Amino acid sequence: QRTDVLEAYVKTDGAWIIKLPKSQYTVKTVEECAVKCDKEVSFTCRSFLYIEKDQDCVTLPANSKTDQILRRMSATLYEKKVYLLECVNGIGKDYRGTKSRSKSGKMCQRWEGTFPHLPNITPKTHPKADLESNFCRNPDEDKGGPWCYTTDPEKRWEHCNIQDCTEECMQCSGENYRGKISTSMSGFTCQRWDSQQPHNHGYIPSALPDKYLEENYCRNPDGEPKPWCFTNNPTKRWEFCTIPRCTTEPPTIVPELTCASGEGSSYRGTISVTVSGKTCQAWASQSPQKHSRTSENYPCKGLDGNYCRNPDNERSPWCYTTDPETRWEYCSVPSCGDTPGPEEPVIPEGEECYEGDGSSYRGAMSETISGKKCQFWTSMEPHRHSKTPLNFPKADLRRNLCRNPDGDRAPWCYTTDPSVRWEYCNLERCDNIPNTQESQTNPSQTATQATPVESAPSKIDCKVGNGADYRGATSTTLMGITCQAWSSMTPHQHASFTPETHPDKGLESNQCRNPDNDVNGPWCYTTDRSKKWDYCQIPDCESLKCGQPATKPKRCFGR
Amino acid sequence: IVGGCISKPHSWPWQISLRTRSRIHFCGGTLIDAQWVLTAAHCLERSDSPSAYKVLLGIHTEKANEPSKQERDVVKIIKGPASTDIALLKLDRPALINDKVSPACLPEKDYIVPSNTECYVTGWGETQGSGGEGYLKETGFPVIENKVCNRPSFLNGRVKDHEMCAGNIEGGTDSCQGDSGGPLVCYAQNTFVLQGVTSWGLGCANAMKPGVYTRVSKFVDWIERSMKQN
């Protein structure tokens, strides 16, 4: 049962919160720390930090919704799910989300505020109701659910109309749908995402951690108009799911009308000209450019008229152009001052490694040491953070490339895995990379010497040392002459090396062997009358590792 | 290769150039064993006779005047199952494996490359004026799951289960004529694994028309059985 206590928490490696008040304990297990949080009396415990090495346990009233998360090695943050929900159970007495607009869109007044309304319910009168900031709450168990005092002098208070947790519904195109519907629209049971039966597919949960491909639930990992799933019916590879649209309006973004911050996904201005001066094509039109970026497919991305937009994580707002010769182009939307300068050449000619602590590293690595993909520096999904190009203009925080903006000991990045906040990158320090030739000879991955033919056709035929134990299939000499069978006496008579005289030397058929431990390697008698014997050409296993080139490729990404 | 860049010499040591008897490059291929090359079946339509072909290994330029060049004749052609674009070539004698010539790894049987995985295609094929003519070029892009690739606005159901797509949805970079038969390799745990054989496309580098590659993991049994029997 002890591990059940963790069921109520969401875990994030490498995360840390600095917040007072807090309580500190020493515990033996993470479950013990969870119990401390559950039983915390001095404040509402919403998360705890657990450092396994030191067996430290820190309980906190804060979580990633209310406070900034920091980076820290070997620390793990556990947040109570109930305090992360953005929906209400029942009348929402325990709703602790961060919605702060009433149902008619009025901004809520801060609970400890006194203007424009003098509240009679305050954090002092209701200390246990977590009346924080201006978030909607239901301290007096109102039947209509969470509410707030509004900043509209004419409207003292209003309900907030927050989505019901039990209501299975989706917003926009359902890209953030996390529900449990698992049948497709014509009633087929969905195939599990971690299964390749009955349908082979490339939506591997471990490779796409930020898509939440759980069990066999309907999901939308690839920009379809709504969630879908592979079906358990061999004749129907995949099908859309029927998921009702939420009654509450989608999460509001703060529209940017005059400039674009980060990638510009919140830009809703009216610029409709590209950087080279071409007029943008209307998003609803399919000419001259046929495309799939329609407002049906991307309902919450503001694809109206022919305005520049960024519906799909491009690096800045763009549009299809009315010039048949130019499909699409970025637009000249002014940046709100937080994006790095124009794209410099990213891959320096030299090796992919870093000098010193890597703060000068400007290479193209975007994978962590454990193989996770890096999160874009301008993105706040899945990890909200402060290492943005605006805050670190000199750190070249470009795309999702590994960097070291804060003087850590090596390049790192936030990961696209929601449960692992950050990791160091898959890079070596330049001064401890041995000679490239040696670096390839990792003994553990050396191709093993070819064992007898029947059992190892796929093994690459090679020899170790002088090949005295070589039992591979090569039966031609260096010059390409076919070998004479060891048991044969034509065209060359010989008595020294036959299966009878050397039964343990593997003198089968006419395959190259080294029965006399010749320093130069396996040989054979040849079928060429003018040449009694010759060496064979058998590669050294040492150099035969597949897929690991001695010269590291550039790996220039075709963007 | 359209777009992309010129490779570092010999940084894709499994890349081979398939040539006519008069040594004209017309297709690519991948060294998967000292004496075996994997290529596309449609590259072998010009002749069923092995002697019509030559294989060059260890080269960087199309001129192929590098000292590391190894030249082999083809002694056997083994075409893949019907209506699949894959074939094996047996060389007259093993290639000399060294730091400029070494095989790519074969994938696990039936392995499906996860959507969005970063893969690379190489070749001396058509560049459509994007530079690098005559040099081995490379470009990298993500794998596009067959479900997306078979959308009406993409390749509209043309891609079979034993094929896979890779490319940039907005076009601009791709493999092209003359790259056929060459490798599509994907990087995982510090190793490049051969996942695709360059097969076909609707034009080259067009938006929403990714390149299509024969999915090697569906042919691992066939490859190993053919090499063993021959």
Side-chain angles (χ1 to χ4, degrees), chain A residues 31 214 431 437:
Chain A
E31 289 81 5
E214 297 145 338
D431 49 20
Q437 199 57 33

Side-chain angles (χ1 to χ4, degrees), chain A residues 164-416:
Chain A
D164 184 324
C165 292
T166 55
E167 187 193 357
E168 279 274 9
C169 65
M170 69 169 191
Q171 287 169 330
C172 302
S173 343
E175 60 265 27
N176 291 321
Y177 170 69
R178 297 284 178 276
K180 293 193 161 82
I181 291 178
S182 57
T183 45
S184 67
M185 62 194 205
S186 43
F188 295 123
T189 303
C190 292
Q191 174 181 316
R192 286 182 61 89
W193 293 100
D194 57 6
S195 162
Q196 290 288 321
Q197 299 302 327
H199 302 292
N200 264 181
H201 65 90
Y203 294 95
I204 316 296
S206 57
L208 301 164
D210 52 339
K211 303 294 182 184
Y212 297 93
L213 302 175
E214 297 145 338
E215 304 291 326
N216 63 338
Y217 304 142
C218 299
R219 290 290 184 266
N220 185 6
D222 56 357
E224 291 281 11
K226 53 187 176 178
W228 57 274
C229 68
F230 292 106
T231 83
N232 270 344
N233 180 324
T235 63
K236 185 77 175 173
R237 184 162 194 254
W238 69 276
E239 193 174 48
F240 286 119
C241 304
T242 305
I243 297 177
R245 200 168 274 287
C246 296
T247 48
T248 55
E249 82 307 357
T252 46
I253 56 154
V254 178
E256 293 165 343
L257 303 177
T258 56
C259 62
S261 63
E263 302 153 347
S265 43
S266 303
Y267 175 68
R268 294 295 183 275
T270 55
I271 291 176
S272 56
V273 175
T274 70
V275 284
S276 68
K278 294 184 172 55
T279 305
C280 291
Q281 173 183 310
W283 295 100
S285 160
Q286 287 290 318
S287 120
Q289 319 291 354
K290 257 168 73 69
H291 63 93
S292 62
R293 300 296 190 271
T294 59
S295 52
E296 295 73 36
N297 289 348
Y298 295 82
C300 304
K301 304 290 183 182
L303 299 184
D304 4 309
N306 68 336
Y307 305 132
C308 298
R309 292 289 183 268
N310 187 4
D312 51 359
N313 290 329
E314 266 299 332
R315 64 179 158 84
S316 70
W318 58 279
C319 68
Y320 292 107
T321 86
T322 46
D323 171 1
E325 293 309 311
T326 309
R327 177 165 172 81
W328 69 280
E329 271 189 354
Y330 290 116
C331 295
S332 32
V333 175
S335 146
C336 300
D338 70 342
T339 35
E343 193 99 358
E344 301 136 36
V346 168
I347 310 169
E349 260 312 305
E351 282 288 305
E352 266 285 340
C353 59
Y354 64 91
E355 306 283 355
D357 68 2
S359 42
S360 61
Y361 170 74
R362 293 294 180 268
M365 180 53 71
S366 58
E367 194 179 277
T368 71
I369 197 108
S370 68
K372 293 182 175 51
K373 250 168 78 175
C374 291
Q375 176 182 314
F376 273 67
W377 293 102
T378 50
S379 169
M380 291 300 141
E381 293 283 329
H383 301 292
R384 176 171 299 284
H385 63 91
S386 61
K387 300 296 185 305
T388 62
L390 184 68
N391 297 343
F392 295 80
K394 294 204 171 50
D396 191 48
L397 298 182
R398 189 177 307 281
R399 298 202 327 250
N400 63 337
L401 304 179
C402 295
R403 293 292 183 263
N404 183 11
D406 56 355
D408 199 323
R409 62 174 171 76
W412 59 275
C413 68
Y414 294 106
T415 85
T416 50

Side-chain angles (χ1 to χ4, degrees), chain A residues 432-508:
Chain A
N432 65 15
I433 292 186
N435 165 295
T436 328
Q437 199 57 33
E438 276 142 32
S439 73
Q440 293 305 320
T441 49
N442 170 341
S444 66
Q445 285 184 316
T446 304
T448 47
Q449 175 165 280
T451 46
V453 171
E454 324 67 50
S455 67
S458 70
K459 281 270 184 322
I460 294 171
D461 200 326
C462 59
K463 65 175 171 61
V464 175
N466 72 351
D469 300 325
Y470 169 72
R471 295 296 180 274
T474 299
S475 53
T476 48
T477 69
L478 270 173
M479 299 316 292
I481 303 164
T482 304
C483 294
Q484 174 184 313
W486 293 96
S487 54
S488 163
M489 290 303 142
T490 58
H492 300 292
Q493 283 277 350
H494 66 95
S496 23
F497 297 103
T498 66
E500 292 68 33
T501 61
H502 291 77
D504 61 340
K505 295 293 182 182
L507 302 184
E508 300 118 10

Side-chain angles (χ1 to χ4, degrees), chain A residues 6 9-10 30 47 88 91 98 105 110 119 162-163 201 258 269 308 310 350 385 418 445 451 484 513 553 558:
Chain A
L6 291 182
Y9 290 87
V10 170
V30 62
S47 67
V88 293
I91 58 167
T98 56
R110 294 182 65 85
I162 297 170
Q163 180 198 320
H201 65 90
T258 56
C308 298
N310 187 4
H385 63 91
Q445 285 184 316
T451 46
Q484 174 184 313
R513 291 293 180 265

Side-chain angles (χ1 to χ4, degrees), chain A residues 200 202 222 224 546 555-556 558, chain B residues 5 105 115 138 140 145 147 218:
Chain A
N200 264 181
D222 56 357
E224 291 281 11
C546 70
R555 287 171 64 186
C556 75
Chain B
C5 63
C105 303
S115 175
E138 66 184 65
E145 224 278 346
K147 172 182 169 293
K218 293 290 179 186

